[in-house]
C-alpha cells in the first residue's frame, strides 16, 4: 500500500508546503502533489520583504527552504505533474496522476492557490516566453537596456516594475484606472522612480511581432483611442484568479470560483479541507497562506485521528 | 561551473559537439537554478528511465560556451528560461522557451524519439 497516505495535499505553494511541514512533523504520512512549480506564486516573486523573521529573500529561495523543511520531516513531494482524476467524495479519497499512478488518502487538503490573470487579447499566448512574461524574477534579465511595459496597478505590478528597472532602460506602467490599488509605499517608490512612466486609464489590447514581441496596441479606456507602441517586453501583473476549475463539479465554490470552507477549513465534503489563495478570503499573502495551511493541517490531523 | 542537478552537465562546446555527433536522440535543457528551470530538470531526471533511447543533459545558461544554444536560430526570440532543445542525429527538431509541464515534454519525446 505504498500509495496510501494519511493526507494528500493538492498544491505546493506556501499553504500546501506549510501543511506538509505540520503533518509530516506530526508523523502523519503525507504526500504533496503539485501541478505547477514548487512555491507556486511565491516562487515568482522577486523579493519578499514582508515575511516575518526574514528581512529580504527571493520568493524562489523561500520556496526551496519550505520544500526542504517539509521533506526533512518525511513529506513526499511530487511536482510539475498533471492530476487527471479526482475522487474526493468517499471515505478513502483518491487522485490519479498523469493518467497512470493512483494515490489514496483518508483526508485531502486543497491548496491550489491562484494563477496570473491573463489579458486574453490578440497575440498574448503567441508571445508568451518571447517577450510576454508573468515573472520578473525569471525573465527580467532578457530585457537588459530594453524598453518594457508593465501592465497593472496593484502591489505586485508596482513592486515588480521597480524591480525591473535594474534591467530595463525604461519601464512604462499601463493601468486600467486613473489611480493605483496598492500600498502607499509601493506607489511612492514607483511614481518617484526616474525610469518609470505611466499610461493610466488604458490597457494593452494586442501584441504584435515576428520571432519575438515588437509592438503593442495601447487602448485608452476612457476615449477608446488606440495607439501602437514599439516595445521589447511586456510583464503582466493584473491580479490572480483562484485555480479551482477541477473542483467546480465536486464541491461548493462561491461566484468568484473560491472554495467555501467552514470554521475548521473543511469544505462541504467530509475530510476535504482547503487553504490559501483558493479559498474565500480577503487578503492573499504568503503569511495568510501559511496560516491557512497550518490550521487546515491541524484540523486534518484531528479528522483522521477521530 | 555546473547546475546543481543529478543530470549530466555539458560544460564546453567540444563536449556539446561530441554528444550530438555520437547520439541519435538528445534533449538539452539550458537554464539556471530558477523557478521555471528546476521543474524541467526534475522531470528530465525521472524521464531518463522511461526513455532509455534519449540522452538527457543540462547546461548552465551563463557559461560562455552556452552560446551554442543561446545562438541557435531555433532559439531566436526566446525570452524565457530554460531554453530546451531536442536533437535528432545532431539536428534540432524542436526548441521550447520557459517552463514546460511533464506532459508537454513527453509529447515532444514521443513525437520525435519514439522507437
Ligand atoms: C508577482 C507576485 C508577487 C507577490 N508578492 C508577495 C509578497 O511580496 N508578499 C506576500 O506575502 N505575498 C506576495 N504575493 C502573494 C503570494 O505569493 C500568494 O498569496 C501565495 O503564494 C498564495 O499561496 P498558496 O499556497 O495559497 O497558492 P500558490 O502560491 O498559488 O500555490 C499553489 C500551487 O498549487 C498548484 N496547483 C494548482 N492547482 C492544482 C491542483 N489541482 N492540484 C495540485 N496542485 C495544484 C499551483 O501550480 C501552485 O504551484 C505575490 C504574488 C505574486 C504573483
Amino acid at each position: 500500500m505504498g500509495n496510501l497516505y494519511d493526507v494528500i495535499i493538492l498544491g505546493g505553494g506556501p499553504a500546501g508546503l506549510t501543511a506538509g511541514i505540520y503533518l509530516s512533523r506530526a508523523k502523519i504520512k503525507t504526500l504533496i502533489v503539485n501541478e505547477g512549480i514548487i512555491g507556486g506564486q511565491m516562487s515568482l516573486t522577486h523579493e519578499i520583504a514582508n515575511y516575518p523573521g526574514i528581512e529580504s529573500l527571493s520568493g524562489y529561495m523561500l520556496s526551496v527552504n519550505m520544500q526542504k523543511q517539509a521533506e526533512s520531516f518525511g513529506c513526499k513531494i511530487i511536482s510539475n505533474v498533471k492530476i487527471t482524476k479526482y475522487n474526493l467524495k468517499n471515505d478513502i479519497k483518491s487522485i490519479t496522476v498523469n493518467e497512470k499512478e493512483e494515490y489514496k488518502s483518508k483526508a485531502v487538503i486543497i491548496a491550489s492557490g491562484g494563477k496570473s490573470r491573463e489579458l486574453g487579447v490578440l497575440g498574448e499566448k503567441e508571445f508568451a516566453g518571447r517577450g510576454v512574461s508573468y515573472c520578473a524574477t525569471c525573465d527580467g534579465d532578457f530585457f537588459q537596456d530594453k524598453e518594457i511595459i508593465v501592465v497593472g496597478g496593484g502591489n505586485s505590478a508596482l513592486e515588480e516594475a521597480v524591480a525591473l528597472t535594474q534591467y530595463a532602460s525604461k519601464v512604462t506602467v499601463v493601468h486600467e484606472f486613473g489611480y493605483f490599488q496598492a500600498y502607499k509605499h509601493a506607489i511612492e517608490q514607483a511614481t518617484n522612480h526616474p525610469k518609470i512612466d505611466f499610461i493610466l486609464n488604458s490597457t494593452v489590447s494586442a501584441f504584435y511581432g515576428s520571432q519575438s514581441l515588437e509592438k503593442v496596441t495601447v487602448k485608452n479606456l476612457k476615449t477608446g483611442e488606440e495607439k501602437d507602441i514599439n516595445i521589447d517586453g511586456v510583464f503582466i501583473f493584473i491580479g490572480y484568479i483562484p485555480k479551482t476549475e477541477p473542483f467546480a463539479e465536486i464541491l461548493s465554490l462561491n461566484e468568484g470560483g473560491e472554495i467555501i470552507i467552514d470554521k475548521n477549513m473543511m469544505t462541504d465534503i467530509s475530510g476535504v479541507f482547503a487553504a490559501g489563495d483558493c479559498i474565500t478570503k480577503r487578503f492573499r499573502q504568503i503569511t495568510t497562506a501559511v496560516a491557512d495551511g497550518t490550521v487546515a493541517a491541524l484540523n486534518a490531523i484531528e479528522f483522521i485521528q477521530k | 561551473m555546473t547546475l546543481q542537478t543529478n543530470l549530466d552537465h555539458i560544460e564546453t562546446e567540444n563536449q556539446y559537439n561530441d554528444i550530438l555527433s555520437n547520439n541519435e536522440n538528445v534533449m538539452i535543457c539550458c537554464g539556471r537554478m530558477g523557478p521555471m528551470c528546476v521543474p524541467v530538470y526534475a522531470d528530465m531526471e525521472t524521464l531518463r528511465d522511461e526513455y532509455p533511447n534519449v540522452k538527457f543533459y543540462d547546461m548552465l545558461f551563463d557559461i560562455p560556451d552556452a552560446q551554442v544554444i543561446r545562438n541557435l536560430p531555433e532559439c531566436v526570440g526566446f525570452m524565457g528560461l530554460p531554453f530546451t532543445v531536442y536533437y535528432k542525429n545532431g539536428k534540432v527538431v524542436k526548441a521550447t522557451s520557459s517552463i514546460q509541464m511533464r506532459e508537454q515534454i513527453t509529447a515532444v519525446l514521443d513525437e520525435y524519439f519514439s522507437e
Side-chain angles (χ1 to χ4, degrees):
Chain A
M1 297 299 275
N3 281 356
L4 176 64
Y5 288 82
D6 292 320
V7 182
I8 292 179
I9 299 165
L10 303 176
L17 291 169
T18 305
I21 291 168
Y22 272 80
L23 288 162
S24 313
R25 190 155 184 255
K27 304 273 184 263
I28 303 291
K29 192 177 174 197
T30 306
L31 171 71
I32 296 178
V33 182
N34 185 51
E35 278 204 340
I37 47 181
I38 280 292
Q41 298 168 63
M42 176 171 67
S43 67
L44 305 182
T45 309
H46 187 79
E47 187 203 5
I48 291 165
N50 54 4
Y51 191 78
I54 290 173
E55 267 183 47
S56 163
L57 191 66
S58 73
Y60 173 63
M61 278 320 297
L62 190 53
S63 307
V64 170
N65 291 348
M66 284 190 191
Q67 176 182 4
K68 276 193 194 151
Q69 198 173 354
E71 285 174 335
S72 75
F73 294 122
C75 182
K76 185 166 180 211
I77 301 179
I78 311 176
S79 196
N80 203 21
V81 290
K82 180 93 192 126
I83 300 174
T84 44
K85 200 167 158 200
Y86 297 87
N87 187 345
L88 304 183
K89 293 206 165 145
N90 299 337
D91 284 351
I92 293 291
K93 331 269 176 212
S94 72
I95 55 155
T96 307
V97 170
N98 295 334
E99 280 171 4
K100 286 198 295 257
E101 289 133 50
E102 192 184 43
Y103 297 92
K104 295 182 176 180
S105 64
K106 298 171 200 159
V108 164
I109 298 175
I110 301 173
S112 54
K115 64 179 175 193
S116 312
R117 194 185 288 278
E118 294 173 3
L119 286 165
V121 299
L122 180 78
E124 182 180 7
K125 278 204 162 55
E126 189 186 337
F127 291 107
R130 293 170 178 267
V132 174
S133 175
Y134 304 86
C135 176
T137 323
C138 314
D139 303 332
D141 71 347
F142 284 98
F143 299 92
Q144 197 73 50
D145 301 323
K146 297 195 167 156
E147 296 197 2
I148 60 169
I149 282 176
V150 166
V151 185
N155 287 310
S156 295
L158 298 186
E159 284 170 9
E160 300 297 309
V162 171
L164 283 162
T165 56
Q166 65 179 299
Y167 311 108
S169 55
K170 184 180 163 201
V171 177
T172 303
V173 174
V174 175
H175 181 43
E176 61 180 333
F177 302 121
Y179 56 92
F180 300 106
Q181 307 111 301
Y183 295 122
K184 202 171 158 210
H185 67 89
I187 298 173
E188 273 173 13
Q189 253 198 320
T191 49
N192 292 337
H193 201 290
K195 277 189 181 179
I196 301 182
D197 277 351
F198 297 88
I199 303 179
L200 298 180
N201 299 308
S202 299
T203 189
V204 171
S205 57
F207 296 85
Y208 303 98
S210 51
Q211 277 172 319
S212 58
L213 181 69
E214 290 164 10
K215 190 171 79 174
V216 293
T217 303
V218 173
K219 181 177 183 180
N220 185 306
L221 295 168
K222 283 207 159 149
T223 63
E225 189 193 334
E226 291 190 325
K227 70 172 177 197
D228 287 348
I229 298 180
N230 292 333
I231 205 83
D232 301 299
V234 175
F235 286 76
I236 301 171
F237 303 104
I238 51 169
Y240 289 83
I241 43 176
K243 254 187 170 178
T244 53
E245 315 89 84
F247 312 110
E249 310 274 289
I250 307 174
L251 39 79
S252 296
L253 307 179
N254 69 10
E255 63 287 356
E258 299 158 347
I259 298 173
I260 299 170
I261 45 152
D262 66 14
K263 64 179 182 355
N264 295 324
M265 315 215 62
M266 184 137 62
T267 66
D268 55 2
I269 301 179
S270 172
V272 178
F273 299 82
D277 277 15
C278 62
I279 63 169
T280 13
K281 68 174 182 180
R282 188 149 163 237
F283 297 113
R284 291 184 161 73
Q285 288 288 287
I286 298 164
T287 47
T288 60
V290 158
D292 293 345
T294 309
V295 178
L298 297 175
N299 281 311
I301 295 174
E302 232 174 64
F303 176 84
I304 58 170
Q305 288 178 345
K306 249 184 209 160
Chain B
M1 231 202 311
T2 59
L3 294 157
Q4 301 101 54
T5 73
N6 291 321
L7 293 166
D8 292 324
H9 315 297
I10 302 180
E11 291 177 61
T12 66
E13 188 169 345
N14 284 344
Q15 196 189 350
Y16 169 88
N17 290 330
D18 279 353
I19 287 165
L20 292 193
S21 323
N22 296 320
N23 295 287
E24 185 186 346
N25 302 318
V26 178
M27 173 180 179
I28 304 175
C29 183
C30 184
R32 298 184 180 132
M33 291 309 290
M36 299 288 157
C37 305
V38 172
V40 181
Y41 308 136
D43 277 337
M44 290 168 74
E45 286 176 17
T46 57
L47 286 168
R48 276 187 297 202
D49 292 341
E50 284 179 45
Y51 294 85
N53 60 326
V54 182
K55 296 280 181 211
F56 294 89
Y57 295 92
D58 64 31
M59 191 168 193
L60 181 60
F61 189 80
D62 302 293
I63 56 174
D65 282 15
Q67 57 81 20
V68 290
I69 296 206
R70 289 197 300 260
N71 296 340
L72 280 171
E74 290 80 2
C75 297
V76 170
F78 280 12
M79 289 179 174
L81 287 179
F83 292 7
T84 307
V85 188
Y86 303 79
Y87 305 80
K88 183 142 201 107
N89 297 319
K91 297 255 172 323
V92 177
V93 288
K94 178 88 183 168
T96 62
S97 170
S98 196
I99 188 174
Q100 302 288 303
M101 298 290 285
R102 189 186 171 91
E103 56 190 358
Q104 294 173 296
I105 298 171
T106 54
V108 179
L109 296 175
D110 290 339
E111 183 177 351
Y112 295 101
F113 302 152
S114 65
E115 303 208 287

